[in-house]
């Protein structure tokens, strides 16, 4: 398992991601910077080797093996049934395809909700067995102690506040968070808590744009938005939503950049028609015997 930690090959690290925030703050205070330092953080999910290679080669900064894997790849109704072993399996596959982006793995539901020492052991497995360079944990104030413990164990942590899918039953479904004064104040406390605990960045999901902008302006660590407006320091989408491979409802914030699902459906339909009508395989797609072997076989048949 190679993680290619060569500073000269463009490998993106946790300090690189953190520096994007300090760079944007320096820029706003009038200090001069290069364009590369001012760039927003580009994040996408990936769940297997071929898409991980494509996403990495395209130049994203962070590849997240999200627990959305359970829904978009494994067909679960939500993220809750996803297991540690399933997440480790897919993270290992993605690791083999990623060379430059920072690789972050979601800790699945139940892997960090009980004993903190067990949660640390599970996080260590992502780093040791699957090659993840950081883990993502859902929750704000109530995760402070755990985030601090993981950071103490030298495991970088990406926080996640707002709509946290693992809390869907408590929220009553997938709903925008922080719409009331009280809820907005709680999200601000959550964001500050995640930062204070030592997380290097925080995902802000399904939050009103104005609230996400305030969170971004107050924190010293980068914010990664998903359905949280353009003021965040970076953005993330589920790859399958972005390329039209998702089944069922697609969130409002998920802009579609391609229709891969339609292309696959059309290609498979054309293939099925060609097979049924005898058009595939054609002669040029078939292997042939040499003339000598053909003649010898013909002679054996005649005898």
């Amino acid at each position: 398992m190679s993680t290619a930690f060569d500073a000269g090959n463009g490998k993106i690290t946790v300090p690189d991601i953190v520096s994007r925030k300090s760079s944007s703050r320096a820029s706003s205070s009038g200090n001069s910077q290069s364009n590369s330092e001012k760039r927003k953080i580009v994040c996408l999910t990936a769940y297997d080797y071929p898409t991980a290679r494509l996403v990495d080669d395209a130049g994203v900064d962070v590849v997240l093996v999200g627990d959305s894997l359970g829904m978009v790849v494994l067909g679960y109704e939500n993220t809750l049934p996803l297991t540690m072993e399933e997440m480790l399996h897919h993270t290992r596959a993605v690791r083999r395809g990623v060379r430059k982006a920072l690789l972050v793995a979601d800790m699945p539901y139940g892997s960090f909700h009980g004993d903190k020492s067990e949660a640390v052991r599970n996080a260590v497995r992502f780093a040791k067995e699957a090659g993840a360079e950081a883990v993502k944990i859902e929750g704000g104030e109530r995760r402070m102690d755990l985030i601090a413990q993981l950071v103490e164990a030298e495991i970088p942590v990406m926080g996640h506040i707002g709509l946290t899918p693992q809390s869907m039953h408590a929220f009553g479904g997938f709903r925008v968070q922080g719409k009331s004064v009280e809820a907005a104040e709680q999200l601000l406390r959550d964001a500050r808590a995640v930062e204070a605990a030592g997380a290097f960045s925080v995902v802000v999901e399904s939050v009103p744009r104005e609230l996400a902008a305030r969170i971004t302006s107050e924190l010293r660590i980068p914010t990664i938005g998903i359905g949280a407006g353009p003021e965040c320091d970076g953005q993330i989408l589920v790859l399958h939503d972005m390329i039209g491979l998702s089944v069922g409802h697609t969130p409002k914030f998920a802009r579609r950049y391609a229709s891969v699902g339609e292309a696959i459906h059309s290609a498979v339909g054309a293939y099925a028609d060609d097979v049924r009508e005898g058009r595939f395989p054609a002669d040029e797609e078939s292997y042939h015997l040499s003339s000598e072997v053909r003649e010898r076989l013909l002679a054996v048949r005649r005898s």
Side-chain angles (χ1 to χ4, degrees), residues 6-241:
D6 179 356
N9 70 356
K11 179 73 182 77
I12 296 172
T13 64
V14 166
D16 292 329
I17 297 300
V18 174
S19 72
R20 298 286 186 92
K21 182 70 171 197
S22 59
S23 295
S24 63
R25 282 174 170 265
S27 178
S28 64
S29 65
N31 294 341
S32 62
Q33 301 173 278
S34 68
N35 288 332
S36 62
E37 290 176 319
K38 299 175 184 178
R39 289 182 304 166
K40 295 269 191 174
I41 302 165
V42 180
C43 312
L44 269 179
T45 63
Y47 314 101
D48 56 32
Y49 170 74
T51 53
R53 283 198 62 177
L54 290 169
V55 166
D56 190 58
D57 288 345
V60 303
D61 301 307
V62 178
V63 173
L64 170 68
V65 187
D67 62 357
S68 47
L69 156 73
M71 300 175 70
V72 301
V73 175
L74 300 182
Y76 295 141
E77 185 177 350
N78 52 56
T79 65
L80 303 185
L82 195 65
T83 68
M84 271 292 296
E85 296 308 319
E86 287 168 332
M87 279 298 302
L88 288 167
H89 172 83
H90 285 269
T91 304
R92 283 192 289 266
V94 171
R95 171 75 278 164
R96 292 189 284 269
V98 171
R99 291 294 177 267
K100 292 189 176 182
L102 180 73
L103 178 58
V104 182
D106 243 333
M107 293 196 68
Y109 181 71
S111 67
F112 60 95
H113 294 75
D115 180 73
K116 287 187 176 61
S117 61
E118 180 186 10
V120 172
R121 285 195 296 271
N122 286 333
V124 166
R125 292 190 69 191
F126 277 111
K128 189 177 182 68
E129 300 177 27
E133 295 155 327
V135 296
K136 182 169 77 64
I137 293 180
E138 294 186 5
E141 283 186 317
R142 65 185 182 277
R143 303 293 179 225
M144 278 192 74
D145 291 345
L146 175 58
I147 292 172
Q149 199 163 342
L150 290 172
V151 172
E152 178 67 21
E154 300 179 324
I155 301 171
V157 176
M158 175 182 283
H160 185 160
I161 63 172
L163 173 57
T164 48
Q166 293 175 10
S167 305
M168 59 169 292
H169 293 316
F171 292 153
F174 296 102
R175 304 177 185 277
V176 176
Q177 301 297 302
K179 297 177 73 173
S180 68
V181 172
E182 295 78 10
E185 289 175 345
Q186 179 59 58
L187 277 178
L188 285 165
R189 290 194 295 272
D190 285 338
R192 295 172 190 136
V194 166
E195 177 179 75
F200 73 92
S201 63
V202 59
V203 171
V204 182
E205 181 171 356
S206 294
V207 167
R209 173 179 179 175
E210 298 81 2
L211 178 56
R214 179 172 171 182
I215 291 171
T216 300
S217 68
E218 288 193 10
L219 295 189
R220 297 183 303 276
I221 60 174
T223 57
I224 310 297
I226 177 167
E231 284 79 20
C232 293
D233 299 300
Q235 298 291 330
I236 187 167
L237 283 177
V238 171
L239 178 67
H240 288 55
D241 290 341

